[in-house]
């Protein structure tokens, strides 16, 4: 089968995501001069990519067999506009953020109510640093003679027996945006932040704070696609002697464009 005329470029897909990163897909049907042919010869005869604006760059190419010949696809990534104007969401107004909860097994001595639990359930720390809980504990229960002031000690099954660790909710807060430069994305890495200093709308975490652990990024045309990551601390926050004092690099961040904080509160 022969192709007649010169089939034009066809727009297959045009998508723009939440922060303004645009993905364009074009295709063109064409026919090789002979078949079979080597890859190098096929590459030499393949059509050139279509002309696009300076706001996107070629991110990939694919050629597939098609009725009457071959069809080549081109994928472009970037932003809308001329590539110089701000047509995307930056650190000041991005709405692309979220929290990924996780859980960790933590030494029971780090429980926020450890002293209360130890005293009530008769636990003690042995010379090796392990917490020992007896199988039963004494719970003073008033007997039928309570009117006379008598009590009897009743051994009860200790709910803490065998528990030297507890499960604590942790997690990672992520905030994604685009910018022409990396700007403050990498500032404050391995430093401590309070909830109110984070961009976007992180969940409330009373008595805890966040450690910035980096900002993975990808080049998308004229902009960087950036995601800042923050780890939630345990009760009392990350230790300042290790990570330094509270550090803010929020700069021009508006904390999610002035949106109200979400009501979700992370438990201790």
């Amino acid at each position: 089968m022969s192709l007649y005329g010169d089939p034009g470029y066809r727009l297959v897909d045009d998508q723009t995501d939440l922060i303004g990163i645009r993905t364009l897909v074009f295709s063109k049907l064409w026919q090789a001069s002979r078949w079979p042919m080597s890859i190098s010869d096929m590459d030499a005869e393949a059509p050139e990519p279509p002309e696009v604006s300076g706001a996107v760059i070629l991110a990939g190419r694919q050629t597939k067999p098609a009725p009457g010949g071959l069809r080549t696809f081109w994928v472009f990534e970037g932003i809308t506009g001329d590539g110089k104007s701000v047509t995307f969401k930056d650190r000041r107004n991005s709405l692309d953020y979220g929290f990924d909860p996780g859980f960790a097994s933590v030494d029971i001595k780090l429980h926020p109510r450890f002293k209360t639990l130890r005293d009530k359930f008769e636990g003690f720390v042995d010379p090796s640093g392990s917490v020992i809980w007896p199988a039963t504990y004494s719970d003073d229960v008033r007997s039928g003679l309570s009117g006379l002031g008598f009590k009897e000690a009743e051994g009860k099954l200790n709910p803490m027996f065998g528990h030297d660790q507890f499960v604590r909710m942790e997690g990672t807060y992520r905030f994604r945006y685009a910018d022409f430069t990396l700007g403050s994305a990498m500032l404050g890495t391995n430093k401590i932040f309070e909830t109110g200093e984070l961009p976007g709308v992180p969940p409330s975490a009373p008595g805890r704070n966040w450690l910035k652990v980096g900002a993975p990024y990808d080049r998308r045309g004229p902009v960087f696609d950036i995601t800042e990551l923050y780890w939630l601390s345990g009760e009392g926050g990350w230790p300042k002697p290790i990570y330094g004092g509270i550090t803010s690099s929020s700069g021009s961040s508006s904390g999610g464009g002035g949106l109200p904080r979400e009501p979700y509160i992370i438990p201790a």
Side-chain angles (χ1 to χ4, degrees):
M1 181 183 295
S2 299
L3 296 178
Y4 293 94
D6 183 15
Y9 294 97
R10 186 176 72 179
L11 176 63
V12 178
D13 198 13
D14 183 359
Q15 296 188 33
T16 301
D17 71 7
L18 188 58
I19 65 171
I21 300 297
R22 187 180 192 182
T23 302
L24 288 170
V25 181
F26 286 91
S27 76
K28 185 175 184 180
L29 182 66
W30 61 283
Q31 193 171 58
S33 61
R34 64 188 186 281
W35 196 260
M37 65 190 312
S38 66
I39 294 297
S40 59
D41 289 340
M42 188 170 65
D43 289 343
E45 295 188 9
E48 293 295 320
E51 291 186 6
V52 292
S53 73
V56 294
I57 62 171
L58 181 63
R61 186 188 74 170
Q62 184 179 35
T63 298
K64 296 181 177 182
L70 300 168
R71 183 173 291 277
T72 295
F73 297 81
W74 296 272
V75 179
F76 297 87
E77 290 183 338
I79 56 176
T80 60
D82 58 8
K84 298 179 181 179
S85 304
V86 177
T87 59
F88 50 85
K89 299 296 184 181
D90 60 19
R91 200 175 191 272
R92 295 169 298 178
N93 57 12
S94 176
L95 296 177
D96 193 345
Y97 48 79
F99 178 72
D100 299 316
F103 293 88
S105 184
V106 183
D107 192 315
I108 192 65
K109 295 192 295 296
L110 296 178
H111 194 282
R113 298 187 301 278
F114 172 67
K115 291 183 178 179
T116 300
L117 294 173
R118 181 195 60 191
D119 294 343
K120 180 176 181 179
F121 297 105
E122 302 175 359
F124 64 94
V125 180
D126 69 8
S128 69
S130 300
V131 179
I132 306 300
W133 306 96
T136 60
Y137 74 106
S138 299
D139 187 14
D140 289 336
V141 178
R142 291 184 179 276
S143 68
L145 301 178
S146 58
L148 300 178
F150 290 99
K151 294 181 180 180
E152 61 180 0
E154 181 180 286
K156 284 191 172 184
L157 182 65
N158 195 337
M160 298 299 295
F161 179 66
H163 292 281
D164 56 358
Q165 294 185 325
F166 73 102
V167 176
R168 181 177 68 193
M169 181 177 177
E170 299 181 350
T172 301
Y173 175 70
R174 48 186 164 74
F175 181 80
R176 178 174 174 254
Y177 60 98
D179 210 331
F180 287 122
T181 67
L182 290 177
S184 61
M186 308 305 291
L187 296 179
T189 299
N190 215 40
K191 298 297 181 181
I192 302 170
F193 290 79
E194 295 291 359
T195 299
E197 296 179 305
L198 270 58
V201 186
S204 178
R208 305 165 79 171
N209 52 33
W210 306 83
L211 183 70
K212 186 173 183 179
V213 294
Y217 64 88
D218 293 291
R219 187 78 191 198
R220 299 292 182 87
V223 299
F224 292 99
D225 183 347
I226 304 165
T227 303
E228 296 184 12
L229 301 175
Y230 299 84
W231 284 352
L232 179 64
S233 75
E235 184 74 15
W238 294 98
K240 294 181 182 179
I242 298 176
Y243 301 104
I246 302 297
T247 301
S248 174
S249 66
S250 54
S252 59
S253 171
S254 62
L259 295 175
R261 295 283 175 189
E262 295 176 359
Y264 177 50
I265 299 177
I266 296 175

